[in-house]
Amino acid sequence: MAPTKRAYSEKNTFDRTFLNKEISSFEKVVPTAENIAVRIGQLLRSPVRELGAELHKIKLIESPNNSCEIFGADLEEVAVEHQQPEAVLAGV
């Protein structure tokens, strides 16, 4: 399967899906617009590179009042942040 078709197929599984239960990426991560955009960027980055291009931006619009933009360069930083251990809240 062509890289872009494979990425589209995976991305298309988000449509009409209970993300918390049906998408493994969101079992432990809250599916906010930002987190969904990051995941879509992660899915598209390699196929876009295989075509000889770079992913510039993912823009996800949930409603007229709620949207987000994730830039391709920021995806590397987000990946590093997610590899760090979770923060532990101090006891009172």
Side-chain angles (χ1 to χ4, degrees):
M1 184 180 297
T4 51
K5 286 185 181 180
R6 182 176 62 247
Y8 176 77
S9 176
E10 292 179 50
K11 175 197 68 74
N12 205 29
T13 61
F14 293 165
D15 190 32
R16 295 179 180 80
T17 302
F18 185 32
L19 298 175
N20 300 69
K21 300 278 184 187
E22 298 177 30
I23 305 293
S24 62
S25 305
F26 298 111
E27 288 176 352
K28 295 182 180 179
V29 175
V30 178
T32 61
E34 293 83 1
N35 288 335
I36 295 168
V38 166
R39 183 63 186 137
I40 291 170
Q42 291 168 339
L43 290 171
L44 292 176
R45 185 173 39 193
S46 290
V48 169
R49 282 185 179 161
E50 288 177 30
L51 296 171
E54 287 294 324
L55 183 63
H56 175 68
K57 176 173 66 174
I58 297 290
K59 183 171 185 175
L60 185 130
I61 302 171
E62 286 187 308
S63 70
N65 297 321
N66 191 24
S67 66
C68 73
E69 292 181 348
I70 302 292
F71 290 87
D74 294 336
L75 289 173
E76 299 291 334
E77 183 178 317
V78 170
V80 170
E81 288 175 5
H82 284 291
Q83 292 174 0
Q84 296 176 355
E86 294 182 31
V88 178
L89 296 176
V92 177

